[in-house]
Amino acid sequence: MALLDELADALAADVMAAMKEFDDDRLYMEVSKVIGTSSPSLQEAFNTSCRLRLSEQRARKFLDETIRARREGTKAPAAPRDTEGGH
């Protein structure tokens, strides 16, 4: 459902901005609980959007640090080790 995804993603974007502004890396969990009291479908779409955004932020930080290190000739950050049972 397009509306569900649009609402969830817009809310996730706003929550991510608030998390950054207030340095609160768990705010999305609290918002998720509020959503879950009335719409499990919206909650799941919101959680998915948050996970995607958080993952992209971590990957972008890793990429930026790796590029900077290679340009400066310093040691690049290590990528996380693969673990069994992941997604």
Short mmCIF file of all heavy atoms in Angstrom, two decimals, residues 7-68:
data_model
loop_
_atom_site.label_atom_id
_atom_site.label_comp_id
_atom_site.label_asym_id
_atom_site.label_seq_id
_atom_site.Cartn_x
_atom_site.Cartn_y
_atom_site.Cartn_z
N LEU A 7 3.64 7.31 4.48
CA LEU A 7 3.50 7.81 5.85
C LEU A 7 4.65 7.33 6.72
O LEU A 7 5.24 8.10 7.48
CB LEU A 7 2.17 7.36 6.44
CG LEU A 7 0.91 7.99 5.85
CD1 LEU A 7 -0.34 7.30 6.42
CD2 LEU A 7 0.86 9.47 6.12
N ALA A 8 4.96 6.04 6.62
CA ALA A 8 6.03 5.46 7.44
C ALA A 8 7.37 6.11 7.12
O ALA A 8 8.14 6.44 8.03
CB ALA A 8 6.09 3.96 7.22
N ASP A 9 7.67 6.29 5.85
CA ASP A 9 8.96 6.85 5.46
C ASP A 9 9.08 8.32 5.84
O ASP A 9 10.13 8.76 6.29
CB ASP A 9 9.20 6.66 3.96
CG ASP A 9 10.65 6.91 3.60
OD1 ASP A 9 11.54 6.32 4.24
OD2 ASP A 9 10.89 7.73 2.69
N ALA A 10 8.00 9.08 5.68
CA ALA A 10 8.03 10.49 6.07
C ALA A 10 8.25 10.62 7.58
O ALA A 10 9.05 11.45 8.03
CB ALA A 10 6.74 11.18 5.64
N LEU A 11 7.55 9.80 8.35
CA LEU A 11 7.73 9.83 9.79
C LEU A 11 9.14 9.40 10.17
O LEU A 11 9.78 10.01 11.04
CB LEU A 11 6.69 8.94 10.48
CG LEU A 11 6.72 8.90 12.00
CD1 LEU A 11 6.54 10.30 12.59
CD2 LEU A 11 5.66 7.95 12.52
N ALA A 12 9.65 8.38 9.51
CA ALA A 12 11.01 7.91 9.79
C ALA A 12 12.03 9.01 9.51
O ALA A 12 12.97 9.21 10.29
CB ALA A 12 11.33 6.66 8.97
N ALA A 13 11.85 9.73 8.42
CA ALA A 13 12.77 10.83 8.10
C ALA A 13 12.74 11.89 9.20
O ALA A 13 13.80 12.40 9.62
CB ALA A 13 12.40 11.44 6.75
N ASP A 14 11.55 12.23 9.67
CA ASP A 14 11.43 13.23 10.74
C ASP A 14 12.05 12.73 12.04
O ASP A 14 12.73 13.48 12.76
CB ASP A 14 9.96 13.59 10.98
CG ASP A 14 9.35 14.35 9.81
OD1 ASP A 14 10.10 14.87 8.96
OD2 ASP A 14 8.11 14.40 9.75
N VAL A 15 11.85 11.47 12.35
CA VAL A 15 12.41 10.89 13.57
C VAL A 15 13.94 10.84 13.49
O VAL A 15 14.62 11.17 14.46
CB VAL A 15 11.82 9.49 13.85
CG1 VAL A 15 12.57 8.78 14.96
CG2 VAL A 15 10.35 9.60 14.20
N MET A 16 14.47 10.48 12.33
CA MET A 16 15.94 10.45 12.17
C MET A 16 16.52 11.85 12.37
O MET A 16 17.57 12.01 13.01
CB MET A 16 16.32 9.92 10.79
CG MET A 16 15.99 8.47 10.53
SD MET A 16 16.91 7.33 11.58
CE MET A 16 15.54 6.49 12.35
N ALA A 17 15.85 12.87 11.85
CA ALA A 17 16.32 14.25 12.04
C ALA A 17 16.29 14.63 13.52
O ALA A 17 17.23 15.26 14.03
CB ALA A 17 15.47 15.20 11.21
N ALA A 18 15.23 14.26 14.22
CA ALA A 18 15.13 14.55 15.65
C ALA A 18 16.19 13.79 16.44
O ALA A 18 16.77 14.33 17.40
CB ALA A 18 13.72 14.21 16.16
N MET A 19 16.45 12.56 16.06
CA MET A 19 17.48 11.77 16.74
C MET A 19 18.83 12.46 16.63
O MET A 19 19.58 12.53 17.61
CB MET A 19 17.55 10.36 16.14
CG MET A 19 16.39 9.48 16.53
SD MET A 19 16.30 7.91 15.62
CE MET A 19 17.89 7.19 15.91
N LYS A 20 19.13 12.97 15.45
CA LYS A 20 20.40 13.67 15.25
C LYS A 20 20.43 14.98 16.03
O LYS A 20 21.41 15.28 16.70
CB LYS A 20 20.60 13.94 13.76
CG LYS A 20 21.92 14.57 13.44
CD LYS A 20 22.12 14.71 11.94
CE LYS A 20 23.48 15.33 11.64
NZ LYS A 20 23.72 15.43 10.22
N GLU A 21 19.35 15.73 15.96
CA GLU A 21 19.29 17.03 16.65
C GLU A 21 19.47 16.89 18.15
O GLU A 21 20.17 17.67 18.79
CB GLU A 21 17.97 17.72 16.35
CG GLU A 21 17.82 19.06 17.03
CD GLU A 21 16.51 19.78 16.74
OE1 GLU A 21 15.77 19.34 15.83
OE2 GLU A 21 16.23 20.79 17.42
N PHE A 22 18.82 15.88 18.75
CA PHE A 22 18.82 15.72 20.20
C PHE A 22 19.78 14.64 20.68
O PHE A 22 19.79 14.31 21.86
CB PHE A 22 17.40 15.44 20.69
CG PHE A 22 16.45 16.56 20.35
CD1 PHE A 22 15.43 16.37 19.44
CD2 PHE A 22 16.60 17.81 20.93
CE1 PHE A 22 14.56 17.39 19.12
CE2 PHE A 22 15.74 18.85 20.62
CZ PHE A 22 14.72 18.64 19.70
N ASP A 23 20.58 14.08 19.76
CA ASP A 23 21.54 13.03 20.09
C ASP A 23 20.87 11.91 20.89
O ASP A 23 21.32 11.53 21.96
CB ASP A 23 22.72 13.61 20.86
CG ASP A 23 23.89 12.64 20.94
OD1 ASP A 23 24.04 11.80 20.04
OD2 ASP A 23 24.66 12.72 21.93
N ASP A 24 19.77 11.43 20.35
CA ASP A 24 18.97 10.38 21.00
C ASP A 24 18.82 9.22 20.02
O ASP A 24 17.92 9.21 19.19
CB ASP A 24 17.60 10.95 21.39
CG ASP A 24 16.72 9.93 22.09
OD1 ASP A 24 17.11 8.75 22.21
OD2 ASP A 24 15.63 10.33 22.53
N ASP A 25 19.71 8.25 20.12
CA ASP A 25 19.73 7.17 19.14
C ASP A 25 18.66 6.10 19.36
O ASP A 25 18.59 5.13 18.62
CB ASP A 25 21.11 6.51 19.07
CG ASP A 25 21.52 5.83 20.36
OD1 ASP A 25 20.83 6.00 21.39
OD2 ASP A 25 22.54 5.11 20.33
N ARG A 26 17.80 6.28 20.34
CA ARG A 26 16.73 5.31 20.61
C ARG A 26 15.33 5.89 20.43
O ARG A 26 14.34 5.20 20.67
CB ARG A 26 16.86 4.76 22.03
CG ARG A 26 18.16 4.04 22.29
CD ARG A 26 18.23 2.79 21.48
NE ARG A 26 19.46 2.08 21.72
CZ ARG A 26 19.94 1.18 20.92
NH1 ARG A 26 19.30 0.86 19.83
NH2 ARG A 26 21.06 0.56 21.18
N LEU A 27 15.23 7.12 20.00
CA LEU A 27 13.93 7.76 19.84
C LEU A 27 13.02 6.96 18.91
O LEU A 27 11.82 6.83 19.17
CB LEU A 27 14.09 9.19 19.33
CG LEU A 27 12.81 9.98 19.08
CD1 LEU A 27 11.98 10.10 20.37
CD2 LEU A 27 13.13 11.34 18.51
N TYR A 28 13.58 6.39 17.85
CA TYR A 28 12.75 5.63 16.92
C TYR A 28 12.05 4.46 17.59
O TYR A 28 10.94 4.08 17.21
CB TYR A 28 13.54 5.19 15.69
CG TYR A 28 14.45 4.01 15.90
CD1 TYR A 28 14.05 2.74 15.54
CD2 TYR A 28 15.72 4.17 16.45
CE1 TYR A 28 14.89 1.65 15.71
CE2 TYR A 28 16.56 3.10 16.63
CZ TYR A 28 16.14 1.83 16.25
OH TYR A 28 16.97 0.75 16.45
N MET A 29 12.66 3.89 18.61
CA MET A 29 12.04 2.77 19.31
C MET A 29 10.81 3.23 20.09
O MET A 29 9.80 2.53 20.14
CB MET A 29 13.05 2.12 20.26
CG MET A 29 14.20 1.47 19.57
SD MET A 29 15.41 0.97 20.79
CE MET A 29 16.09 -0.46 20.02
N GLU A 30 10.91 4.40 20.69
CA GLU A 30 9.78 4.93 21.44
C GLU A 30 8.63 5.28 20.51
O GLU A 30 7.46 4.98 20.79
CB GLU A 30 10.22 6.16 22.23
CG GLU A 30 11.24 5.85 23.31
CD GLU A 30 11.79 7.09 23.97
OE1 GLU A 30 11.05 8.08 24.11
OE2 GLU A 30 12.98 7.08 24.33
N VAL A 31 8.97 5.92 19.37
CA VAL A 31 7.93 6.26 18.39
C VAL A 31 7.29 4.99 17.86
O VAL A 31 6.07 4.92 17.69
CB VAL A 31 8.52 7.12 17.25
CG1 VAL A 31 7.49 7.35 16.15
CG2 VAL A 31 9.03 8.45 17.78
N SER A 32 8.08 3.96 17.64
CA SER A 32 7.55 2.69 17.16
C SER A 32 6.52 2.11 18.12
O SER A 32 5.48 1.58 17.70
CB SER A 32 8.70 1.69 16.95
OG SER A 32 8.21 0.44 16.56
N LYS A 33 6.80 2.21 19.40
CA LYS A 33 5.84 1.70 20.40
C LYS A 33 4.52 2.46 20.33
O LYS A 33 3.45 1.85 20.46
CB LYS A 33 6.43 1.81 21.81
CG LYS A 33 7.54 0.82 22.07
CD LYS A 33 8.11 1.02 23.46
CE LYS A 33 9.30 0.10 23.70
NZ LYS A 33 9.90 0.31 25.03
N VAL A 34 4.60 3.77 20.14
CA VAL A 34 3.38 4.57 20.02
C VAL A 34 2.58 4.13 18.80
O VAL A 34 1.37 3.93 18.87
CB VAL A 34 3.72 6.08 19.95
CG1 VAL A 34 2.47 6.90 19.64
CG2 VAL A 34 4.36 6.54 21.25
N ILE A 35 3.26 3.95 17.68
CA ILE A 35 2.59 3.51 16.46
C ILE A 35 1.94 2.15 16.66
O ILE A 35 0.81 1.91 16.25
CB ILE A 35 3.57 3.43 15.28
CG1 ILE A 35 4.15 4.80 14.96
CG2 ILE A 35 2.90 2.84 14.05
CD1 ILE A 35 5.34 4.75 14.02
N GLY A 36 2.66 1.25 17.32
CA GLY A 36 2.20 -0.12 17.49
C GLY A 36 0.92 -0.25 18.29
O GLY A 36 0.21 -1.26 18.18
N THR A 37 0.59 0.75 19.09
CA THR A 37 -0.64 0.67 19.86
C THR A 37 -1.88 0.80 19.00
O THR A 37 -2.97 0.40 19.43
CB THR A 37 -0.70 1.76 20.96
OG1 THR A 37 -0.70 3.05 20.35
CG2 THR A 37 0.48 1.63 21.92
N SER A 38 -1.71 1.33 17.78
CA SER A 38 -2.89 1.50 16.94
C SER A 38 -2.75 0.92 15.54
O SER A 38 -3.77 0.65 14.89
CB SER A 38 -3.26 2.98 16.82
OG SER A 38 -2.17 3.72 16.30
N SER A 39 -1.52 0.70 15.07
CA SER A 39 -1.37 0.17 13.72
C SER A 39 -0.09 -0.66 13.58
O SER A 39 0.97 -0.13 13.25
CB SER A 39 -1.36 1.30 12.69
OG SER A 39 -1.16 0.77 11.39
N PRO A 40 -0.20 -1.95 13.78
CA PRO A 40 0.97 -2.82 13.59
C PRO A 40 1.53 -2.75 12.17
O PRO A 40 2.73 -2.87 11.96
CB PRO A 40 0.45 -4.22 13.90
CG PRO A 40 -0.72 -3.99 14.81
CD PRO A 40 -1.34 -2.70 14.33
N SER A 41 0.67 -2.54 11.19
CA SER A 41 1.14 -2.45 9.80
C SER A 41 2.02 -1.22 9.61
O SER A 41 3.09 -1.29 9.00
CB SER A 41 -0.04 -2.39 8.83
OG SER A 41 -0.79 -3.56 8.91
N LEU A 42 1.58 -0.09 10.12
CA LEU A 42 2.37 1.14 10.03
C LEU A 42 3.65 1.00 10.85
O LEU A 42 4.72 1.45 10.43
CB LEU A 42 1.57 2.35 10.49
CG LEU A 42 2.29 3.71 10.40
CD1 LEU A 42 2.71 4.02 8.97
CD2 LEU A 42 1.40 4.81 10.96
N GLN A 43 3.55 0.34 11.98
CA GLN A 43 4.72 0.14 12.83
C GLN A 43 5.80 -0.64 12.07
O GLN A 43 6.97 -0.27 12.09
CB GLN A 43 4.34 -0.60 14.10
CG GLN A 43 5.52 -0.81 15.05
CD GLN A 43 5.14 -1.66 16.25
OE1 GLN A 43 4.33 -2.57 16.16
NE2 GLN A 43 5.72 -1.34 17.40
N GLU A 44 5.43 -1.71 11.41
CA GLU A 44 6.41 -2.50 10.68
C GLU A 44 7.03 -1.72 9.53
O GLU A 44 8.25 -1.77 9.31
CB GLU A 44 5.80 -3.80 10.17
CG GLU A 44 6.80 -4.72 9.51
CD GLU A 44 8.00 -5.07 10.39
OE1 GLU A 44 7.84 -5.25 11.61
OE2 GLU A 44 9.13 -5.15 9.84
N ALA A 45 6.22 -0.97 8.80
CA ALA A 45 6.74 -0.16 7.71
C ALA A 45 7.68 0.92 8.25
O ALA A 45 8.74 1.20 7.67
CB ALA A 45 5.60 0.46 6.92
N PHE A 46 7.32 1.53 9.37
CA PHE A 46 8.16 2.54 10.00
C PHE A 46 9.48 1.92 10.46
O PHE A 46 10.56 2.48 10.21
CB PHE A 46 7.42 3.15 11.20
CG PHE A 46 8.26 4.04 12.07
CD1 PHE A 46 8.55 5.34 11.69
CD2 PHE A 46 8.76 3.56 13.28
CE1 PHE A 46 9.32 6.16 12.51
CE2 PHE A 46 9.53 4.37 14.09
CZ PHE A 46 9.82 5.67 13.70
N ASN A 47 9.42 0.77 11.12
CA ASN A 47 10.64 0.11 11.59
C ASN A 47 11.55 -0.23 10.42
O ASN A 47 12.77 -0.07 10.51
CB ASN A 47 10.30 -1.16 12.38
CG ASN A 47 9.73 -0.85 13.75
OD1 ASN A 47 9.88 0.25 14.26
ND2 ASN A 47 9.06 -1.82 14.34
N THR A 48 10.98 -0.71 9.33
CA THR A 48 11.77 -1.03 8.15
C THR A 48 12.45 0.22 7.61
O THR A 48 13.65 0.20 7.30
CB THR A 48 10.89 -1.68 7.06
OG1 THR A 48 10.38 -2.91 7.58
CG2 THR A 48 11.67 -1.93 5.78
N SER A 49 11.71 1.30 7.50
CA SER A 49 12.29 2.55 7.00
C SER A 49 13.41 3.04 7.92
O SER A 49 14.46 3.47 7.44
CB SER A 49 11.21 3.61 6.85
OG SER A 49 11.74 4.77 6.26
N CYS A 50 13.21 2.94 9.21
CA CYS A 50 14.25 3.35 10.16
C CYS A 50 15.49 2.48 10.02
O CYS A 50 16.62 2.99 9.99
CB CYS A 50 13.73 3.30 11.59
SG CYS A 50 12.58 4.61 12.00
N ARG A 51 15.30 1.17 9.93
CA ARG A 51 16.45 0.27 9.78
C ARG A 51 17.22 0.57 8.50
O ARG A 51 18.46 0.58 8.50
CB ARG A 51 15.99 -1.19 9.80
CG ARG A 51 15.62 -1.71 11.17
CD ARG A 51 15.41 -3.21 11.18
NE ARG A 51 14.38 -3.65 10.27
CZ ARG A 51 13.10 -3.81 10.59
NH1 ARG A 51 12.69 -3.55 11.82
NH2 ARG A 51 12.22 -4.23 9.70
N LEU A 52 16.50 0.82 7.42
CA LEU A 52 17.16 1.15 6.16
C LEU A 52 17.95 2.44 6.28
O LEU A 52 19.11 2.53 5.84
CB LEU A 52 16.13 1.29 5.04
CG LEU A 52 15.46 0.00 4.59
CD1 LEU A 52 14.30 0.30 3.64
CD2 LEU A 52 16.47 -0.91 3.91
N ARG A 53 17.36 3.45 6.88
CA ARG A 53 18.04 4.73 7.03
C ARG A 53 19.26 4.63 7.96
O ARG A 53 20.31 5.20 7.68
CB ARG A 53 17.06 5.78 7.57
CG ARG A 53 16.05 6.20 6.53
CD ARG A 53 14.96 7.09 7.14
NE ARG A 53 14.02 7.51 6.13
CZ ARG A 53 14.19 8.54 5.32
NH1 ARG A 53 15.28 9.26 5.40
NH2 ARG A 53 13.28 8.85 4.41
N LEU A 54 19.13 3.90 9.05
CA LEU A 54 20.25 3.74 9.97
C LEU A 54 21.39 2.96 9.31
O LEU A 54 22.57 3.30 9.47
CB LEU A 54 19.80 3.05 11.25
CG LEU A 54 18.90 3.88 12.16
CD1 LEU A 54 18.27 3.00 13.25
CD2 LEU A 54 19.67 5.04 12.77
N SER A 55 21.03 1.93 8.57
CA SER A 55 22.03 1.14 7.88
C SER A 55 22.76 1.98 6.83
O SER A 55 23.99 1.91 6.69
CB SER A 55 21.36 -0.07 7.21
OG SER A 55 22.31 -0.85 6.54
N GLU A 56 22.01 2.79 6.10
CA GLU A 56 22.62 3.66 5.08
C GLU A 56 23.56 4.66 5.74
O GLU A 56 24.65 4.92 5.23
CB GLU A 56 21.53 4.38 4.30
CG GLU A 56 22.04 5.16 3.09
CD GLU A 56 22.51 6.57 3.41
OE1 GLU A 56 22.13 7.11 4.47
OE2 GLU A 56 23.28 7.14 2.61
N GLN A 57 23.19 5.20 6.88
CA GLN A 57 24.04 6.15 7.59
C GLN A 57 25.36 5.50 8.02
O GLN A 57 26.43 6.09 7.86
CB GLN A 57 23.33 6.71 8.82
CG GLN A 57 22.21 7.67 8.50
CD GLN A 57 21.41 8.05 9.74
OE1 GLN A 57 21.77 7.74 10.87
NE2 GLN A 57 20.29 8.74 9.53
N ARG A 58 25.27 4.28 8.54
CA ARG A 58 26.49 3.57 8.95
C ARG A 58 27.38 3.27 7.74
O ARG A 58 28.61 3.45 7.80
CB ARG A 58 26.15 2.28 9.68
CG ARG A 58 25.67 2.50 11.10
CD ARG A 58 25.55 1.20 11.88
NE ARG A 58 24.54 0.32 11.35
CZ ARG A 58 23.27 0.30 11.71
NH1 ARG A 58 22.84 1.13 12.64
NH2 ARG A 58 22.41 -0.55 11.17
N ALA A 59 26.76 2.84 6.65
CA ALA A 59 27.53 2.53 5.45
C ALA A 59 28.17 3.77 4.86
O ALA A 59 29.33 3.76 4.43
CB ALA A 59 26.63 1.86 4.41
N ARG A 60 27.44 4.88 4.85
CA ARG A 60 27.98 6.13 4.32
C ARG A 60 29.15 6.62 5.17
O ARG A 60 30.16 7.07 4.64
CB ARG A 60 26.90 7.20 4.26
CG ARG A 60 27.42 8.48 3.64
CD ARG A 60 26.43 9.24 2.85
NE ARG A 60 25.57 8.51 1.98
CZ ARG A 60 25.86 8.17 0.72
NH1 ARG A 60 27.05 8.47 0.22
NH2 ARG A 60 24.99 7.54 -0.02
N LYS A 61 29.04 6.51 6.48
CA LYS A 61 30.14 6.91 7.37
C LYS A 61 31.37 6.05 7.09
O LYS A 61 32.48 6.57 6.99
CB LYS A 61 29.71 6.76 8.84
CG LYS A 61 30.79 7.17 9.81
CD LYS A 61 30.35 7.00 11.25
CE LYS A 61 31.50 7.38 12.17
NZ LYS A 61 31.29 6.94 13.53
N PHE A 62 31.16 4.75 6.95
CA PHE A 62 32.27 3.84 6.64
C PHE A 62 32.92 4.23 5.31
O PHE A 62 34.14 4.31 5.20
CB PHE A 62 31.77 2.39 6.60
CG PHE A 62 32.81 1.44 6.11
CD1 PHE A 62 33.80 0.96 6.97
CD2 PHE A 62 32.82 1.00 4.80
CE1 PHE A 62 34.76 0.07 6.53
CE2 PHE A 62 33.79 0.12 4.34
CZ PHE A 62 34.76 -0.34 5.21
N LEU A 63 32.10 4.49 4.29
CA LEU A 63 32.63 4.86 2.98
C LEU A 63 33.42 6.17 3.07
O LEU A 63 34.53 6.27 2.54
CB LEU A 63 31.49 4.99 1.97
CG LEU A 63 31.90 5.47 0.58
CD1 LEU A 63 32.89 4.50 -0.07
CD2 LEU A 63 30.67 5.66 -0.30
N ASP A 64 32.85 7.17 3.72
CA ASP A 64 33.54 8.46 3.85
C ASP A 64 34.88 8.31 4.56
O ASP A 64 35.89 8.88 4.14
CB ASP A 64 32.66 9.46 4.61
CG ASP A 64 31.44 9.91 3.82
OD1 ASP A 64 31.39 9.66 2.58
OD2 ASP A 64 30.52 10.48 4.44
N GLU A 65 34.90 7.53 5.63
CA GLU A 65 36.15 7.32 6.38
C GLU A 65 37.17 6.54 5.56
O GLU A 65 38.37 6.83 5.62
CB GLU A 65 35.86 6.61 7.70
CG GLU A 65 35.12 7.47 8.70
CD GLU A 65 34.69 6.72 9.95
OE1 GLU A 65 34.92 5.49 10.04
OE2 GLU A 65 34.12 7.37 10.85
N THR A 66 36.70 5.58 4.79
CA THR A 66 37.60 4.79 3.94
C THR A 66 38.20 5.66 2.84
O THR A 66 39.42 5.61 2.59
CB THR A 66 36.85 3.60 3.32
OG1 THR A 66 36.37 2.76 4.38
CG2 THR A 66 37.74 2.80 2.40
N ILE A 67 37.39 6.46 2.20
CA ILE A 67 37.88 7.36 1.15
C ILE A 67 38.90 8.33 1.72
O ILE A 67 39.98 8.55 1.15
CB ILE A 67 36.71 8.10 0.47
CG1 ILE A 67 35.89 7.12 -0.36
CG2 ILE A 67 37.22 9.26 -0.38
CD1 ILE A 67 34.58 7.70 -0.88
N ARG A 68 38.57 8.94 2.86
CA ARG A 68 39.48 9.89 3.49
C ARG A 68 40.82 9.23 3.84
O ARG A 68 41.89 9.77 3.57
CB ARG A 68 38.85 10.49 4.74
CG ARG A 68 39.70 11.54 5.41
CD ARG A 68 39.04 12.29 6.58
NE ARG A 68 38.09 11.52 7.37
CZ ARG A 68 36.76 11.61 7.27
NH1 ARG A 68 36.22 12.43 6.40
NH2 ARG A 68 35.97 10.88 8.03
#
